Amino acid sequence: MLLLNAFRGFCMALADSVPGVSGGTIAFLLGFYDKFIFALNSLVSGSKDEKKQALKFLIKLGSGWIIGFLSAMLILSEIFESHIYVVSALFFGLTLFAIPMVIYEERKSMKGHIGCIAFTIIGIAIVIGISTLSSKLGGGGITFEGFNIGIILFTFLAGMIAISAMVLPGISGSTILLAFGIYVPTTTAISSILKMESFEALPYICALALGILTGVIVIIKTVNRALLKYRPQSMYTIIGLMIGSLYAITQGPTTIDTADGIALEPLSFSHVAGDPILIIPFIAGGVVLALLELLRFVMEKKEKNS
């Protein structure tokens, strides 16, 4: 089970590293989401035996997650900035195709609760609100240079909210960082640190890490309780977060600081019409999800036979 859980963690890390589908969605599609949430909750407030079992599971999962995350960070900063529209089209496809898959998986819990559609609207409004607020605050111009206590606190807050999104099978935590305008600075900073090129941004990365740790402690019990006692409302909210994240992804190019200082336009149908090759990464997003669903089927079959 070590290799299986490490691979699961690896897949989650790749999702968590890019705006679009969350690691929680990957855990959901691969069939171990409830176990993942229970383990996190047990680690925070479980009994001694529960904490021991949770730690064993999370270490196995975390080993693969670390490998996947570090691998992604080494290449993402370059790809994201030089091929922003291609990458955004891929993320858009990943998220769009994931929505019906999540609805299908949760059809039983959502059936008969059409009134909960209000929670979907709330989810959409949350993501669009964060994206709009970020742009008004100048999120696209945020940099991890020098020492700015305001940006450090802003980064800490973003980390808290991002990890809340990462554990939900919906919006990606990286989409939250994208909406706050610190996704590119974060990937660039981590890449520079890993390559031993520059440690100037280390205070900001530490603030982000502390925000993530705080977010786990504060939010995981709430998430676990909501999924157990208010699953229909939770799932309708998650669908809303995913729909709203489509807007956040289209705004991704606006967070890039170009060399000539000219702001890039959001991803739109006009970009696809002007560059039909963008349809390829869009479709690739659906193919990736289909392969993950097939992988889930194979893993579940092996577990039943073992």
Side-chain angles (χ1 to χ4, degrees):
M1 291 294 289
L2 172 59
L3 291 178
L4 174 60
N5 286 323
F7 178 74
R8 285 169 168 174
F10 181 84
C11 292
M12 286 184 69
L14 294 183
D16 285 331
S17 301
V18 299
V21 178
S22 72
T25 301
I26 299 303
F28 193 84
L29 295 175
L30 291 181
F32 68 99
Y33 179 72
D34 286 342
K35 184 177 180 180
F36 169 60
I37 293 297
F38 179 76
L40 286 176
N41 185 61
S42 296
L43 196 63
V44 173
S45 59
S47 65
K48 184 176 180 180
D49 288 339
E50 286 176 338
K51 286 183 177 181
K52 185 177 180 181
Q53 291 301 316
L55 189 59
K56 286 181 180 179
F57 172 71
L58 292 173
I59 286 176
K60 294 174 184 177
L61 199 67
S63 62
W65 193 94
I66 291 173
I67 294 172
F69 180 77
L70 295 180
S71 299
M73 287 299 103
L74 287 172
I75 62 173
L76 270 180
S77 60
E78 305 262 342
I79 295 177
F80 196 82
E81 293 191 33
S82 58
H83 302 286
I84 180 60
Y85 289 110
V86 173
V87 176
S88 294
L90 173 64
F91 298 162
F92 194 93
L94 278 168
T95 305
L96 183 63
F97 288 115
I99 293 173
M101 294 178 73
V102 172
I103 293 174
Y104 178 77
E105 290 292 336
E106 285 294 322
R107 62 192 183 281
K108 290 183 179 179
S109 66
M110 297 174 70
K111 186 177 180 180
H113 296 277
I114 191 64
C116 292
I117 194 73
F119 289 93
T120 299
I121 297 172
I122 291 173
I124 295 172
I126 288 173
V127 182
I128 293 179
I130 290 174
S131 297
T132 303
L133 179 62
S134 173
S135 63
K136 289 186 180 297
L137 292 174
I142 288 178
T143 59
F144 290 167
E145 297 177 356
F147 186 86
N148 187 312
I149 189 63
I151 294 180
I152 286 179
L153 293 175
F154 184 76
T155 303
F156 175 84
L157 176 63
M160 282 188 63
I161 298 175
I163 193 60
S164 303
M166 284 180 184
V167 299
L168 291 171
I171 182 175
S172 165
S174 292
T175 301
I176 295 295
L177 297 183
L178 183 66
F180 274 102
I182 65 171
Y183 177 74
V184 174
T186 297
T187 55
T188 301
I190 293 177
S191 178
S192 296
I193 292 171
L194 291 175
K195 294 177 181 177
M196 308 292 285
E197 294 175 349
S198 172
F199 295 92
E200 182 182 15
L202 191 58
Y204 300 93
I205 300 304
C206 289
L208 183 67
L210 286 173
I212 289 172
L213 180 61
T214 304
V216 169
I217 296 173
V218 170
I219 200 66
I220 192 60
K221 202 167 186 65
T222 302
V223 171
N224 186 63
R225 181 181 176 84
L227 289 173
L228 288 175
K229 295 194 173 184
Y230 307 101
R231 197 169 186 93
Q233 295 88 336
S234 298
M235 295 313 302
Y236 273 95
T237 303
I238 287 168
I239 297 302
L241 292 172
M242 294 180 74
I243 294 173
S245 71
L246 293 174
Y247 171 78
I249 292 169
T250 64
Q251 300 304 303
T254 66
T255 68
I256 300 294
D257 290 323
T258 58
D260 54 13
I262 300 176
L264 296 177
E265 295 180 357
L267 177 70
S268 64
F269 286 109
S270 62
H271 288 103
V272 178
D275 187 6
I277 198 172
L278 291 180
I279 198 68
I280 296 176
F282 171 76
I283 294 175
V287 173
V288 168
L289 290 177
L291 291 175
L292 285 173
E293 189 67 13
L294 177 62
L295 179 63
R296 173 187 176 178
F297 174 78
V298 172
M299 288 193 303
E300 287 181 346
K301 189 174 182 180
K302 285 185 176 180
E303 286 183 348
K304 287 180 180 179
N305 294 333
S306 62

